[in-house]
Amino acid sequence: MAKYRAGIIGTGFGAKVHAPMMKFHDGFEVVAIASVSRGNIENTKQLSGIENVYTDWKQMLEQEELDFVVVASAVHLHKEMTLAAFNKDIHVLCEKPMALNIAETEEMIAARNDAGKLGLINHEFRFLPARTKVKQILNSGDLGEIMHVRYECTFPSFQSLVSNSRGWLGQAETGGGMLGAIGSHMVDSLHWWTDSSFHEVFANLTTHVPEFKDDQGNVEHRTADDAFQIIGSLENGATVTLEFLSAARQITNSMRLEVYGTKGTLIMLDDNKVFFSSGDAPLEEVVLTPDISAPAEMPAVAARYYNGFNRMLDALYETFNSGKKHPYLSEFENGQMTQKVLDAVRLSAKEGKKVIVG
């Protein structure tokens, strides 16, 4: 089995998840990883399991022979790194959200077109069995015309927010905030499931924990959201409510999707259970494709993502082999569509009014 050579930019999620995930996949070899802030090399080696660590990502692109590069840095750096990779004729798998704004996505798409390479967004959650089942049911037409979608997510992160620095994730100017980190996944899945996109939004962005003080008395002032509420409609006429809260005191994450159609109702709970009702019949649980378990040796942080991420890597490998993009992979056009929504949400929250997307 031929291995595709990957270079990873980013020693956070890139080192903790991308690198171990590819290390345990027969189709890929991570030949190098590069830090963005010139962090601790030994710590990066330990986190990623990769010995070849660069402190300059540009040097990695110059010196290594790569089939593709993973851009897993802070959002405000995505455009520069993506353009540099395409300039070296390398495929790009970019973390979400794609960019800081719609103008940057246009530059990234133009660079991809000039290079004739793949530009993909890492929406690995599309490949979770529960989400693929939602896609299949909506594609079947069994729900009829979609009238309303309610999508809610809660993270029990209050203690973490008051006890730890958020770094770039806490700053709006670097692309931080949970609208980008989690909202981009929610918007992308909603677009993908419905084969439609947002038409208009009325939104609120909230920072429930606006600062953090460390033991030395240093204060981190946060400008990025840690919660959002969105009311809107899709181009297909369906209405939508989207909500996320991170400053909760709970034991586990909770996620609930409700889709109401003219012929039936669909419910997805916590990305692992799907229920369907035809007409006025009671909801019944739908059988899903069995989960796959991470190798015992995989670090726990990465193992949490294995069920969807490994399937995404299978699709990526298939795409590289065939030259035809797997239909479930998210490409730059999908990332741009999501970016239009994020831009509109931020404008709506700032001006306190309804905004037409795009």
Side-chain angles (χ1 to χ4, degrees), residues 80-230:
E80 178 188 8
M81 294 169 175
T82 296
L83 267 55
F86 285 140
N87 191 50
K88 298 294 292 183
D89 290 325
I90 303 171
H91 299 299
V92 173
L93 176 64
C94 184
E95 267 300 329
K96 49 75 209 162
M98 184 173 172
L100 279 179
N101 51 56
I102 190 65
E104 289 193 349
T105 68
E106 291 172 352
E107 289 187 62
M108 295 162 76
I109 289 174
R112 179 208 60 188
N113 292 344
D114 288 343
K117 296 294 179 179
L118 286 169
L120 304 171
I121 306 296
N122 184 36
H123 280 299
E124 75 277 12
F125 292 161
R126 284 189 178 193
F127 292 84
L128 290 170
R131 296 204 187 193
T132 59
K133 180 58 69 174
V134 171
K135 174 66 172 173
Q136 291 164 9
I137 292 174
L138 265 65
N139 278 357
S140 73
D142 289 344
L143 281 176
E145 182 182 345
I146 305 303
M147 298 183 294
H148 183 71
V149 179
R150 181 183 295 131
Y151 200 5
E152 302 169 345
C153 183
T154 305
F155 282 8
S157 302
F158 178 83
Q159 195 57 44
S160 176
L161 288 169
V162 300
S163 304
N164 300 286
S165 168
R166 293 187 75 195
W168 71 266
L169 275 169
Q171 306 305 315
E173 58 269 26
T174 54
M178 301 311 288
L179 176 66
I182 302 299
S184 60
H185 276 303
M186 297 172 76
V187 170
D188 174 77
S189 287
L190 188 57
H191 286 171
W192 178 58
W193 285 325
T194 62
D195 288 322
S196 188
S197 58
F198 270 94
H199 168 67
E200 61 183 15
V201 295
F202 182 75
N204 184 46
L205 294 177
T206 306
T207 308
H208 286 122
V209 184
E211 65 178 35
F212 158 70
K213 183 182 291 186
D214 65 21
D215 294 337
Q216 288 72 47
N218 301 309
V219 179
E220 176 186 78
H221 297 284
R222 295 161 178 168
T223 59
D225 63 277
D226 57 30
F228 56 84
Q229 303 84 39
I230 303 167

Side-chain angles (χ1 to χ4, degrees), residues 3 17 77-78 88 113 162 169 173 218 235 247 301 318 349:
K3 288 182 179 288
V17 179
L77 301 172
H78 285 184
K88 298 294 292 183
N113 292 344
V162 300
L169 275 169
E173 58 269 26
N218 301 309
E235 293 289 352
V301 173
E318 177 185 322

Side-chain angles (χ1 to χ4, degrees), residues 290-303:
D291 289 344
I292 51 176
S293 299
E297 316 91 279
M298 179 173 282
V301 173

